[in-house]
Amino acid sequence: MSDTKSGDDNTLSVTPKKTLTLKRPGMEQGTVRQNFSHGRTKQVVVETKKRKFSMPGDKPEPVAAAPMPVFTPKPPVAAAPVVQEAPKAPPPPPPVERMVLNELSRSEMEARRRALEGSKVREVEDRQRAAEEAKRRADDEERRKREREDSARRQAEEEARLQTEAESRRRAEEEARRRAPQAAELATSDEEEEVKPKRTGAGAPVRRLVTPEVARPAKPTKGEEDRRRGKLTLNSALSDEDARARSLSSMRRRQEKFKRAMHNEPREKVMREVILPETITIQELAQRMSERAVDVVKFFMKQGQILKPGDVIDADTAELVATEFGHTVRRVAESDIEEGLFNIADNAEDLVSRPPVVTIMGHVDHGKTSLLDAIRNANVVSGEAGGITQHIGAYQVEKNGQKITFIDTPGHAAFTAMRARGAQATDIAILVVAADDSVMPQTIESISHAKAAGVPIIVAINKIDKHGADPQKVRSELLRHEVFVESMGGEVLDVEVSATKGTNLDKLLEAILLQAEILDLKANPDRTAEGVVIEAQLDKGRGPVATVLVQTGTLMPGDILVAGNEWGRVRALVNDRGEQIKEAPPAMPVEVLGLQGTPQAGDRFAVVNNEARAREITEYRQRLAREKAVARHAGQRGSLEQMMSQLQTSGLKEFPLVIKGDVQGSIEAINAALDKLGTDEVRARIVHAGAGAITESDVSLAETSGAAIIGFNVRANVQARAAAAAAGIEIRYYSIIYNLVDDVKAALSGLLSPERRETFIGNAEILEIFDITKVGKIAGCRVTEGKVERGAGVRLIRDNVVIHEGTLKTLKRFKDEVSEVPGGQECGMAFQNYEDMRVGDVIECFRVEMVTRTL
């Protein structure tokens, strides 16, 4: 048997000798040959002692512990010898009769105990290993982070070092070039210099030529910079020194193009369907055809036209170009983006009944608002939960389990505005007529609006409880205006009511429900919502809030809404009781939150699928509105002087006017005076004349007919003024009939009316605010431009925005009241009924003059 162990310097070989020798029992001898370096060897005699193993059932030794009983003895494990030898054969197993039953049970228990302890030890070790592994991973992550930081720092230091070396090499080269002539002169003039002999193998002295040292540029070694050359790094990308190389894809495309050019291979032509709007640029047309703009320009040059890619061509020309290039064309118009937005046809089986929408109309002070309040309060008293808010502009009441929607707006104004925008919101019109006042001019106007809208009328004869009430007189006068009530043989329902006493309100609601049943009002709730905007406002806390009436479909939060020129995603729906609801079925008025801006009253709204289409539609509408505004301002209609200019240039002979007076007698006198001014060439045409204040209806009528508005001893309300300003219509106020006739006569004769002109006087800056008891706030100012006069108009300007316009209460120089303060001096000023002044505000002083203009 031989055993060999190899190491770095020696080899151990064990070769036991089989000789007859006397040796101690349990001992084995053998020789070992040790191999050393340089080929030396040595024989060594070694002895090996065997360990004695005790078997189960043997007598234990006095000092040794009792051995553990096992069922099957394990093979003996050799002790660690000096040198490895062959293991001896194991002793024979003990006889079966030496094993005892209790030893077997004890052995099993001991094995289970050891297994349990081993599992606990392994669990502890596993937990320790997991903790060590987590710690090791954290240490590795920290080490890698430090290595990355060190690498970045080393890279920065290497770049700085390379830059420094490059700079030093450049300076060395310049120094070498400067010293080169001097070195040449020294090399020719100096003799050989003998140095000390350095003994070599032969012992001969060495002679060498000494020349002055010339600095040479260091030869660059191939290092990190050369290895990373060509790679895209942050520094190379940000620096402008080296341009980035072409990509592999670019080189491949270039090679393919070169091959096609060599083999004259034409590229495959792709035919496309080109969508053409009304106008398009050449560049956009080329992109839609997937052609080069240069090729399109060349096509036009062949036709004799010199155009640029940015030039705009019409749809006909673009169609010809696209056809010549082999593409098909589909023409679209800008208005096509609104297709499918409104008036979507519904199936008859999808329609269900909906509540009626009612608008109350009538003359001023005939009890419209009182009747609305009485219906609302009666409905609340009858058991409807919650209170109905007024600000929403519309609300619903319930009668006999059926709902009725009331629109709380001026009836005729709503009809005019909504009809002008193509919206029909109302199903039934209630005409309120006072029994003691009978039919009045605005009653006639309301009848005209209702008939123009094509809605049925229910006459509510109000104030029947007052002294002098005559309902029969009302019915008789309505016959003159083609309103035939049932009691007079017609089909119009009439109800005698009292808003103050609450008389016959139930009959009025029943008449509304009866009329709605005759109309058979239906709508499809299972589709996208459509409707009309009743009113809109900008709320400080909630943003743009629009009160809408859903006409068909169901409106829900999250829908994308387009209303007029505005759009938005519905953030919340609020009903007439101020409660947030989850959906709004047909004929239900709700407040909508979430629009981008405030739409106009009367605008139609619809729900679209996505934000892109909503944005496209609103941008198109806003562009149209801007174009109309530009056209309107270019020829500002409505003023007397510009209207006269239009008459002269266009050859029109009629001069339309809307006249409103305080009493009917004044209206008749004005009509008679203006009729006398007419001639064969020009005359004043009275579009509408009536008694009462100027309302939105008059502004709408004037806008439709292009007339000017004249008010005699009356004024326009806030809504009418805002509507007139938006429409660019001028409202003239008069209190003397001769002035009115003179102005109209001057306009008819070609003279221009005077205009209001402002003349700037001066500016003053507020330096300090003084709060004086019993006087109020006084602004200490310095006149910075012009002068300030007492009695002139003033404006308070803050951050270039006019905050207040009015008159001065006081103007003082020191303690004296003065009439004017020149520029550069200080003064004290106080406004009439206004004290919100701040340091840094500017006070502008101006004078208003009436200047006569000429053509």
Side-chain angles (χ1 to χ4, degrees):
M1 176 178 179
S2 175
D3 197 2
T4 304
K5 179 180 180 182
S6 297
D8 294 334
D9 298 329
N10 49 39
T11 304
L12 298 180
S13 300
V14 180
T15 307
K17 290 184 177 181
K18 298 182 179 180
T19 57
L20 296 174
T21 57
L22 294 175
K23 57 182 180 180
R24 289 174 290 181
M27 300 287 292
E28 288 186 2
Q29 289 185 349
T31 60
V32 176
R33 180 184 296 275
Q34 290 185 335
N35 296 328
F36 299 93
S37 59
H38 304 293
R40 294 179 295 169
T41 61
K42 183 180 179 180
Q43 291 285 347
V44 180
V45 179
V46 297
E47 291 181 352
T48 303
K49 184 179 180 180
K50 297 295 183 178
R51 179 187 297 177
K52 184 179 180 181
F53 293 92
S54 60
M55 301 302 295
D58 294 343
K59 271 187 180 181
E61 297 180 2
V63 293
M68 294 275 184
V70 292
F71 183 75
T72 304
K74 296 182 180 178
V77 180
V82 178
V83 290
Q84 187 177 359
E85 66 167 353
K88 292 177 65 176
V96 179
E97 58 268 12
R98 297 178 60 182
M99 299 185 63
V100 189
L101 184 60
N102 59 355
E103 292 178 350
L104 179 61
S105 60
R106 272 189 271 114
S107 66
E108 290 178 352
M109 293 173 63
E110 189 65 26
R112 293 175 181 177
R113 183 183 61 81
R114 286 199 305 271
L116 182 60
E117 292 176 354
S119 64
K120 291 182 179 179
V121 171
R122 283 194 300 273
E123 288 178 0
V124 173
E125 291 175 353
D126 291 342
R127 284 196 294 270
Q128 291 177 352
R129 279 197 298 271
E132 292 173 358
E133 182 68 19
K135 182 179 180 182
R136 184 182 60 78
R137 284 198 297 268
D139 294 340
D140 291 344
E141 183 65 26
E142 184 67 21
R143 178 178 54 79
R144 284 194 293 269
K145 182 178 180 182
R146 287 197 300 269
E147 287 177 356
R148 287 195 298 269
E149 294 175 353
D150 295 340
S151 176
R153 186 178 66 254
R154 284 196 299 271
Q155 183 178 358
E157 293 174 356
E158 181 68 16
E159 291 176 356
R161 184 184 63 78
L162 293 175
Q163 187 176 2
T164 306
E165 289 179 359
E167 186 67 18
S168 63
R169 285 197 300 270
R170 185 182 60 80
R171 288 198 299 267
E173 289 173 0
E174 293 177 357
E175 186 69 16
R177 285 195 298 270
R178 185 175 59 81
R179 293 184 179 181
Q182 301 175 3
E185 293 175 1
L186 292 174
T188 55
S189 61
D190 290 350
E191 297 294 332
E192 288 184 356
E193 179 182 358
E194 184 175 347
V195 299
K196 293 181 181 182
K198 181 177 181 181
R199 297 291 179 178
T200 60
V206 178
R207 302 174 64 86
R208 61 182 178 180
L209 184 65
V210 179
T211 58
E213 182 179 0
V214 179
R216 296 180 181 178
K219 183 179 180 181
T221 60
K222 187 172 182 180
E224 182 69 19
E225 182 181 7
D226 295 317
R227 287 196 299 271
R228 293 185 61 84
R229 182 171 297 160
K231 297 182 179 180
L232 183 62
T233 62
L234 184 61
N235 294 325
S236 62
L238 295 178
S239 64
D240 296 334
E241 297 177 359
D242 298 326
R244 184 178 177 182
R246 297 173 67 97
S247 64
L248 293 178
S249 300
S250 177
M251 297 296 292
R252 191 179 299 113
R253 289 194 300 268
R254 187 177 182 182
Q255 291 175 1
E256 292 176 356
K257 183 179 179 181
F258 180 72
K259 289 180 182 179
R260 285 196 303 269
M262 292 294 293
H263 296 85
N264 293 325
E265 294 180 1
R267 181 173 291 182
E268 184 181 354
K269 182 76 172 179
V270 179
M271 302 301 175
R272 300 181 181 275
E273 183 186 23
V274 183
I275 299 175
L276 296 181
E278 296 175 357
T279 58
I280 190 173
T281 62
I282 295 178
Q283 182 71 38
E284 179 67 21
L285 177 62
Q287 291 178 358
R288 296 189 181 188
M289 295 189 303
S290 296
E291 305 284 353
R292 296 192 308 164
V294 178
D295 296 337
V296 182
V297 172
K298 287 181 180 178
F299 174 78
F300 280 106
M301 291 178 66
K302 291 179 182 178
Q303 304 298 325
Q305 300 182 33
I306 306 300
L307 297 176
K308 301 186 296 297
D311 291 342
V312 179
I313 57 177
D314 57 6
D316 295 335
T317 306
E319 184 176 358
L320 291 175
V321 174
T323 306
E324 287 293 331
F325 277 85
H327 302 284
T328 58
V329 175
R330 181 159 64 92
R331 297 279 290 271
V332 296
E334 284 188 318
S335 58
D336 292 345
I337 61 176
E338 293 187 348
E339 286 186 359
L341 190 63
F342 298 110
N343 302 325
I344 301 176
D346 294 319
N347 296 326
E349 58 270 13
D350 296 334
L351 300 178
V352 297
S353 298
R354 64 170 178 86
V357 181
V358 180
T359 299
I360 297 184
M361 309 171 69
H363 191 71
V364 179
D365 293 335
H366 276 204
K368 297 189 300 294
T369 305
S370 302
L371 186 60
L372 284 170
D373 292 340
I375 294 174
R376 184 182 68 251
N377 294 332
N379 189 73
V380 172
V381 169
S382 64
E384 184 172 336
I388 299 174
T389 56
Q390 282 269 17
H391 65 277
I392 191 173
Y395 55 90
Q396 280 188 332
V397 300
E398 191 168 346
K399 175 66 175 177
N400 298 332
Q402 297 179 352
K403 293 183 178 181
I404 303 173
T405 301
F406 285 91
I407 298 179
D408 190 9
T409 55
H412 50 279
F415 272 114
T416 305
M418 292 176 186
R419 191 172 69 252
R421 294 176 175 87
Q424 180 59 49
T426 305
D427 302 317
I428 301 171
I430 296 181
L431 182 65
V432 179
V433 185
D436 61 340
D437 206 7
S438 191
V439 176
M440 298 298 289
Q442 283 190 0
T443 309
I444 301 172
E445 185 180 353
S446 300
I447 294 172
S448 302
H449 283 294
K451 288 184 177 180
V455 297
I457 299 175
I458 296 177
V459 178
I461 304 176
N462 195 16
K463 302 183 181 181
I464 59 173
D465 57 326
K466 291 189 67 175
H467 179 70
D470 190 359
Q472 194 61 32
K473 178 183 177 183
V474 173
R475 297 186 180 96
S476 301
E477 292 189 0
L478 286 175
L479 293 175
R480 301 178 184 177
H481 304 286
E482 299 180 356
V483 177
F484 305 104
V485 297
E486 284 186 335
S487 59
M488 305 291 288
E491 296 181 353
V492 177
L493 299 176
D494 64 310
V495 182
E496 298 180 5
V497 298
S498 173
T500 56
K501 299 291 183 62
T503 307
N504 291 336
L505 293 182
D506 291 341
K507 290 185 178 180
L508 179 61
L509 296 179
E510 290 174 357
I512 294 174
L513 293 176
L514 177 61
Q515 187 67 52
E517 186 177 352
I518 295 173
L519 294 176
D520 192 18
L521 304 172
K522 291 185 178 182
N524 180 14
D526 301 326
R527 49 158 289 182
T528 56
E530 291 182 19
V532 63
V533 178
I534 298 174
E535 62 182 31
Q537 61 182 350
L538 188 63
D539 192 281
K540 288 184 179 180
R542 300 185 296 172
V545 179
T547 302
V548 302
L549 176 68
V550 181
Q551 293 177 314
T552 184
T554 302
L555 184 63
M556 292 181 289
D559 289 344
I560 300 173
L561 200 70
V562 175
N565 298 342
E566 305 294 339
W567 73 278
R569 186 180 293 273
V570 179
R571 193 169 69 243
L573 297 175
V574 182
N575 63 5
D576 51 5
R577 288 179 288 277
E579 305 167 349
Q580 287 200 13
I581 58 176
K582 297 298 182 183
E583 61 180 17
M588 183 174 186
V590 287
E591 281 187 342
V592 175
L593 280 68
L595 293 177
Q596 302 286 338
T598 305
Q600 298 290 329
D603 285 341
R604 299 181 68 184
F605 77 85
V607 174
V608 296
N609 296 329
N610 49 47
E611 294 184 4
R613 182 150 192 258
R615 195 177 292 109
E616 188 178 12
I617 293 173
T618 53
E619 288 176 355
Y620 166 70
R621 292 179 174 179
Q622 289 171 3
R623 185 168 65 253
L624 289 184
R626 286 194 299 268
E627 293 174 357
K628 289 182 179 179
V630 170
R632 184 172 63 242
H633 289 302
Q636 189 73 241
R637 60 183 179 180
S639 63
L640 290 173
E641 57 275 14
Q642 292 174 357
M643 197 168 297
M644 189 61 213
S645 174
Q646 292 177 4
L647 289 176
Q648 291 179 347
T649 54
S650 61
L652 296 176
K653 301 298 182 181
E654 291 185 342
F655 189 70
L657 290 173
V658 175
I659 301 175
K660 297 301 288 288
D662 52 351
V663 292
Q664 193 65 30
S666 301
I667 299 299
E668 294 176 357
I670 293 172
N671 288 339
L674 293 182
D675 286 338
K676 296 179 181 178
L677 297 177
T679 62
D680 296 337
E681 296 180 359
V682 63
R683 66 182 182 88
R685 180 170 65 89
I686 311 300
V687 177
H688 175 71
I694 300 173
T695 62
E696 285 184 276
S697 175
D698 302 320
V699 177
S700 301
L701 190 60
E703 183 180 4
T704 305
S705 59
I709 301 176
I710 293 178
F712 186 76
N713 287 333
V714 294
R715 290 292 182 270
N717 56 27
V718 179
Q719 293 81 3
R721 287 198 301 269
I729 295 177
E730 183 182 4
I731 302 177
R732 291 293 185 92
Y733 301 108
Y734 296 95
S735 57
I736 301 176
I737 191 171
Y738 301 108
N739 295 338
L740 187 154
V741 174
D742 290 341
D743 281 351
V744 175
K745 183 178 180 180
L748 293 175
S749 61
L751 297 178
L752 298 176
S753 61
E755 71 170 355
R756 182 177 180 272
R757 179 178 298 177
E758 291 182 4
T759 303
F760 175 79
I761 299 177
N763 279 342
E765 183 181 4
I766 298 178
L767 305 179
E768 190 64 41
I769 303 295
F770 304 96
D771 198 352
I772 301 176
T773 308
K774 297 183 180 180
V775 177
K777 289 186 177 180
I778 302 294
C781 310
R782 178 187 294 117
V783 181
T784 57
E785 185 179 0
K787 61 181 180 178
V788 177
E789 294 181 357
R790 186 173 61 186
V794 289
R795 294 190 183 96
L796 182 65
I797 301 174
R798 181 178 303 153
D799 296 330
N800 297 324
V801 177
V802 178
I803 304 299
H804 175 70
E805 181 173 347
T807 58
L808 289 179
K809 182 171 65 174
T810 178
L811 177 63
K812 290 190 176 183
R813 171 77 177 151
F814 297 106
K815 293 185 179 180
D816 301 325
E817 194 79 21
V818 293
S819 59
E820 69 177 39
V821 177
Q825 294 187 4
E826 297 182 355
C827 61
M829 286 188 281
F831 287 93
Q832 189 77 30
N833 300 327
Y834 189 80
E835 291 186 352
D836 185 15
M837 299 172 290
R838 301 179 186 175
V839 176
D841 292 352
V842 177
I843 298 176
E844 178 183 300
C845 186
F846 60 95
R847 184 185 300 112
V848 178
E849 299 176 349
M850 300 303 294
V851 180
T852 303
R853 294 184 298 171
T854 58
L855 291 174

